[in-house]
Amino acid sequence: MHRRGVRLRRRRRLRAPCTAPPALLIEKQRLATIGGSFLGICGDANHTYGFHVPAANLPADDYSLEGAANVPVCEWHAAAIDIGMDWPASRDWLKWLIAGIASDEIQGIAEVIGSYDGVNVRYWSDSSGWSIDGKPYQGSGHDTWTHVSVYRSTTLEDHGILAGWTANGGP
């Protein structure tokens, strides 16, 4: 029975399209209004794990499925957005975002990867304690874009990630 379940899941993976959830489509529209670059929600072929991949296409032990907050409301939704840091206030926005998450003014965010200065890339998450400084990021990229993941259980909710921001400033 287990092998049959695995086969069915694999078959389903091949047919499984990734969908952008309402929460991140709202942020995509806000980013378009700002004039910043949208780099994606659903991961490309290089994304084999994590929040850019729908839960249905991940192994059960993937880190982005850990905990009750990551029980997906839709198994086909990705749960991350990549935001280009090419608008004038983008670095100020990132500082605001991290401070808002750290103070619980912004909720439902699982992780953020980005750079305050375009050079030093940092990682923030519940497991890292949401300190303002974050932790050094060991992966590549994220100096010109910011990755924001929402908990899979909150992909239908507006998180206000870019709410109130314009190209030149925000709240």
Side-chain angles (χ1 to χ4, degrees), residues 103-132:
S103 69
D104 282 334
E105 290 177 39
I106 299 172
Q107 298 185 353
I109 309 302
E111 68 182 2
V112 176
I113 308 168
S115 174
Y116 290 145
D117 61 9
V119 176
N120 299 301
V121 179
R122 312 301 288 176
Y123 175 82
W124 298 268
S125 73
D126 280 346
S127 64
S128 71
W130 290 108
S131 72
I132 297 300

Side-chain angles (χ1 to χ4, degrees), residues 56-114:
N57 292 346
L58 291 170
D61 63 349
D62 188 86
Y63 84 99
S64 72
L65 297 172
E66 292 176 359
N70 281 311
V71 173
V73 294
C74 175
E75 64 182 351
W76 306 118
H77 285 337
I81 186 170
D82 286 341
I83 297 169
M85 300 299 280
D86 56 349
W87 41 290
S90 62
R91 306 292 171 181
D92 293 332
W93 162 76
L94 180 57
K95 291 173 190 168
W96 169 87
L97 178 68
I98 297 303
I101 297 166
S103 69
D104 282 334
E105 290 177 39
I106 299 172
Q107 298 185 353
I109 309 302
E111 68 182 2
V112 176
I113 308 168

Side-chain angles (χ1 to χ4, degrees), residues 7-47:
R7 259 184 278 146
L8 288 175
R9 186 171 170 107
R10 283 189 186 140
R11 209 174 303 140
R12 209 169 63 187
R13 277 190 209 170
L14 296 175
R15 296 189 322 243
C18 177
T19 57
L24 299 180
L25 289 174
I26 290 168
E27 301 304 341
K28 179 182 177 185
Q29 182 56 50
R30 288 178 177 143
L31 184 60
T33 301
I34 290 169
S37 295
F38 167 72
L39 289 113
I41 294 171
C42 291
D44 60 17
N46 294 319
H47 289 86

